[in-house]
């Protein structure tokens, strides 16, 4: 029995969806613990590509139960669209999807405030899904939760109280349109019937399942460098994608978690604003973007690309407690004669001893690179570690040595079948 937290080790989009899909064959329950529909997790089965934003990627395995934990912020429209989409492709989710009664609801004013904040000079480059403003209300103790859908009077009271304040903010501070409270009340009263069957005390469910010997996989969204505390603040998301978030985001205590599994992309990408020391602005960066098809799965924005950063990844491994990991998109590097890996940063001619997550330092550091030979062979059909070219194995060993992380899964393509399990 294992209780594992799967985390993105970089700025998101490391290939978590694909790896959750592979690993969930060995788990009975897959649970999301933070974030919301800002996530875009892609799974490719045969030639069919599925992108999930809210529902855990484990839903594609018929015997897996999926949980949306209390730490997630749920946009009811996005949720119902995703349920409809899954049903339309023949995936039966009834009885297999549970949503925490304590999860917070994304409201129309959260999305509007998100887009208005993004019009200011300090914009973050968010996904526009209302994530920051929703967590804002959660921590200001003004949020509306899934359980409020079950109590009509409470729901109406809370929506009215919020709108009273939000409309003043919208009008006076943002000089924007205001929102029609009755329209929002009508819309949210309708969600009750459709979402009711999925609502559950998921903390009790998960703890009982673990006590009964069932294995649970926690599916992190985003990545460590987007963490509200340990990421490149303020260019982060508003939740805790790092492994610690799995406990507060589900109610499963740290003592019941047996391991943390990292997802490491063979190079680095980032969507949105913020520092990125190894970012490439040249032909190599364009090649990573093109060969890796690096476009956001949620917003379609091109992802910024750069060389692998071992210094950043060892910081991420420390914060998350990653020992074992999957390396993804290794096939994308097959076209390069030489591959660079950042092994440290210099600031004003001095090598830094620890990773700086304050942006003023991070914006000014100079990466220290080591150059490795490329393998220049198509590896996307290889299914055994021993069959990988020598240079590929050397690249993997180099990264393992410089990050302290061991690769148990090597992903060489988007499909389930393009996966090497390291014995
Ligand atoms: P996530 O947010 O971490 O789940 O990652 P995304 O789904 O946003 O982005 C990863 C992208 O890379 C998706 O389009 C996947 O289909 C694709 N992908 C995953 N693993 C591999 C791989 O090993 N090789 C290649 N070429 N593509 C991959
Ligand atoms: P997955 O789970 C990559 C980024 C946004 C922006 C910042 C804040 O697919 O890896 P937000 O909308 O969360 O307030 O935006 O975080 N971001 C992601 N980048 N992958 C994601 O999720 C992301 N979710 C948010 O681009 O820079
Ligand atoms: Mg993604």
């Amino acid at each position: 029995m294992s209780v594992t937290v799967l985390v993105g080790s970089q700025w998101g989009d490391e290939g978590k969806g694909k790896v959750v899909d592979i690993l969930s064959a060995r788990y009975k329950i897959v649970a999301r613990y933070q974030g919301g529909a800002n996530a875009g997790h892609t799974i490719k089965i045969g030639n069919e590509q599925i992108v999930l934003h809210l529902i855990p990627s484990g839903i594609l395995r018929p015997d897996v139960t999926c949980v949306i934990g209390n730490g997630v912020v749920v946009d009811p429209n996005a949720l119902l669209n995703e349920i409809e989409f899954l049903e339309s492709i023949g995936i039966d989710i009834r009885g297999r999807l549970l949503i925490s009664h304590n999860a917070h609801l994304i409201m129309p004013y959260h999305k509007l405030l998100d887009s208005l904040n993004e019009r200011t000079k300090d914009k973050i480059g968010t996904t526009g899904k209302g994530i920051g403003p929703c967590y804002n209300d959660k921590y200001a103790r003004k949020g509306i939760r899934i359980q409020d859908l079950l109590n009509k009077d409470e729901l109406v009271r809370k929506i009215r109280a919020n709108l009273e304040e939000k409309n003043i903010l919208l009008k006076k501070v943002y000089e924007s349109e205001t929102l029609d409270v009755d329209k929002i009340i009508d819309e949210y009263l309708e969600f009750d019937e459709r979402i009711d069957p999925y609502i559950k005390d998921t903390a009790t469910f998960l703890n009982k399942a673990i006590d009964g010997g069932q294995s649970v996989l926690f599916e992190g969204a985003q990545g460590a460098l987007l963490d509200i505390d340990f990421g490149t603040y303020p260019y982060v998301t508003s939740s805790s994608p790092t492994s610690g978030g799995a406990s507060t985001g589900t109610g499963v205590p740290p003592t019941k978690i047996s391991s943390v599994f990292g997802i490491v992309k063979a190079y680095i990408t980032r969507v949105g604003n913020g520092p990125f020391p190894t970012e490439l602005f040249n032909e190599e960066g364009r090649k990573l973007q093109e060969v890796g098809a690096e476009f956001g799965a949620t917003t379609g924005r091109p992802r910024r690309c750069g060389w692998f950063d071992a210094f950043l990844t060892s910081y991420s491994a420390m914060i998350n407690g990653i020992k074992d990991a999957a390396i993804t998109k290794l096939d994308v590097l097959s076209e390069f004669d030489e591959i660079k890996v950042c092994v440290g940063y210099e600031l004003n001619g001095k090598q830094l001893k620890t990773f700086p997550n304050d942006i003023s330092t991070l914006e000014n550091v100079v990466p220290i690179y080591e150059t490795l030979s490329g393998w220049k062979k198509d590896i996307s059909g290889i299914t055994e570690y021993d069959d990988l070219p020598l240079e590929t194995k050397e690249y993997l060993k180099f990264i393992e040595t410089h990050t302290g992380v061991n690769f148990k899964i090597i992903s060489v393509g988007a499909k389930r079948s393009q996966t090497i399990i390291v014995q």
Side-chain angles (χ1 to χ4, degrees), residues 195-208:
I195 296 182
D196 193 8
Y198 306 104
I199 304 177
K200 185 132 182 131
D201 169 1
T202 53
T204 302
F205 169 81
L206 286 166
N207 277 288
K208 277 194 174 157

Side-chain angles (χ1 to χ4, degrees), residues 12-18 40-44 49 265 291-294 297 303 327-332 411-414 418:
D13 302 328
E14 298 89 350
K16 298 177 290 294
K18 165 172 172 170
H41 295 179
T42 315
I43 304 105
K44 205 164 179 185
Q49 180 165 291
K265 179 147 54 175
V291 181
E294 295 294 355
R303 295 175 182 147
I327 185 161
T328 60
K329 304 195 94 160
L330 194 59
D331 53 302
V332 175
S411 175
V412 292
Q418 293 174 299

Side-chain angles (χ1 to χ4, degrees), residues 150-193:
L150 303 176
N151 183 340
K152 286 193 169 36
D153 291 344
E154 261 308 273
L155 180 67
V156 171
R157 188 188 68 74
K158 287 185 178 170
I159 295 178
R160 284 202 188 284
N162 268 285
L163 256 289
E164 226 168 81
E165 183 195 280
K166 262 43 173 209
N167 273 341
I168 296 173
L169 185 70
L170 288 168
K171 198 168 156 189
K172 301 262 158 98
V173 178
Y174 290 94
E175 296 174 345
S176 138
E177 53 169 323
T178 54
L179 293 172
D180 181 343
V181 62
D182 293 319
K183 208 170 140 206
I184 298 178
I185 289 173
D186 288 347
E187 188 188 5
Y188 276 67
L189 282 176
E190 295 237 325
F191 290 134
D192 157 24
E193 241 170 64

Side-chain angles (χ1 to χ4, degrees), residues 51 69 73 95 130 147 172 211 223 226 235 252 270 299 304 349:
V51 181
V73 287
Q147 59 187 280
K172 301 262 158 98
D211 293 347
L226 287 171
Y235 298 101
V252 173
R270 173 164 207 169
T299 59
R304 299 154 63 191

Side-chain angles (χ1 to χ4, degrees), residues 38-74:
N38 50 349
H41 295 179
T42 315
I43 304 105
K44 205 164 179 185
I45 303 170
N47 287 326
E48 193 172 359
Q49 180 165 291
I50 295 164
V51 181
L52 293 170
H53 301 284
L54 260 175
I55 298 177
S57 306
I59 202 76
L60 303 180
R61 304 265 178 193
D63 51 352
V64 168
T65 299
C66 287
V67 171
I68 295 181
N70 54 279
V72 177
V73 287
V74 179

Side-chain angles (χ1 to χ4, degrees), residues 95-365:
R96 295 206 296 124
L97 177 65
L98 310 174
I99 305 171
S100 167
H101 59 318
N102 285 339
H104 279 246
L105 287 167
I106 300 239
M107 304 297 293
Y109 44 84
H110 293 140
K111 289 199 230 175
L112 181 57
L113 287 167
D114 194 357
S115 76
L116 291 167
N117 283 327
E118 287 293 290
R119 282 183 213 160
T120 63
K121 66 173 174 30
D122 298 323
K123 70 184 207 143
I124 304 292
T126 71
T127 59
K129 303 292 179 189
I131 305 296
C134 184
Y135 280 111
N136 217 13
D137 278 353
K138 171 174 175 173
Y139 289 100
R141 293 160 292 179
K142 292 175 182 167
I144 303 180
R145 299 196 284 181
I146 289 276
Q147 59 187 280
D148 294 321
L149 293 175
L150 303 176
N151 183 340
K152 286 193 169 36
D153 291 344
E154 261 308 273
L155 180 67
V156 171
R157 188 188 68 74
K158 287 185 178 170
I159 295 178
R160 284 202 188 284
N162 268 285
L163 256 289
E164 226 168 81
E165 183 195 280
K166 262 43 173 209
N167 273 341
I168 296 173
L169 185 70
L170 288 168
K171 198 168 156 189
K172 301 262 158 98
V173 178
Y174 290 94
E175 296 174 345
S176 138
E177 53 169 323
T178 54
L179 293 172
D180 181 343
V181 62
D182 293 319
K183 208 170 140 206
I184 298 178
I185 289 173
D186 288 347
E187 188 188 5
Y188 276 67
L189 282 176
E190 295 237 325
F191 290 134
D192 157 24
E193 241 170 64
R194 299 176 68 195
I195 296 182
D196 193 8
Y198 306 104
I199 304 177
K200 185 132 182 131
D201 169 1
T202 53
T204 302
F205 169 81
L206 286 166
N207 277 288
K208 277 194 174 157
I210 294 167
D211 293 347
Q214 291 202 24
S215 48
V216 178
L217 180 65
F218 294 108
E219 175 174 348
Q222 290 81 51
L225 275 297
L226 287 171
D227 186 274
I228 187 78
D229 289 291
F230 299 105
T232 48
Y233 191 89
Y235 298 101
V236 291
T237 191
S238 300
S239 67
S240 305
T242 43
S243 55
S247 277
T248 53
T250 60
V252 173
T255 45
K256 286 188 184 163
I257 293 173
S258 44
S259 63
V260 178
F261 195 75
I263 311 298
V264 175
K265 179 147 54 175
Y267 51 95
I268 307 263
T269 63
R270 173 164 207 169
V271 204
N273 302 348
F276 178 177
T278 62
E279 182 169 13
L280 292 164
F281 299 96
N282 57 11
E283 195 42 49
E284 288 165 327
R286 275 188 290 280
K287 200 156 139 184
L288 284 174
Q289 214 260 326
E290 194 189 312
V291 181
E294 295 294 355
F295 291 94
T298 298
T299 59
R301 291 177 290 176
R303 295 175 182 147
R304 299 154 63 191
C305 296
W307 293 123
F308 188 79
D309 189 336
F311 198 43
L312 173 149
T313 308
S314 42
Y315 165 74
S316 181
M318 174 185 80
I319 294 297
N320 284 298
I322 301 170
K323 289 207 168 60
D324 293 343
I327 185 161
T328 60
K329 304 195 94 160
L330 194 59
D331 53 302
V332 175
L333 298 179
S334 296
E335 303 201 9
F336 290 84
D337 293 323
E338 286 184 332
I339 302 167
K340 286 188 179 162
V341 175
C342 167
V343 293
Y345 299 156
E346 262 185 15
L347 184 71
N348 303 325
K350 276 204 180 129
Q351 187 165 350
L352 299 183
K353 290 199 171 69
T354 52
F355 180 82
N357 73 342
D358 67 289
I359 56 163
S360 51
T361 306
L362 214 45
E363 267 158 4
N364 291 302
V365 296

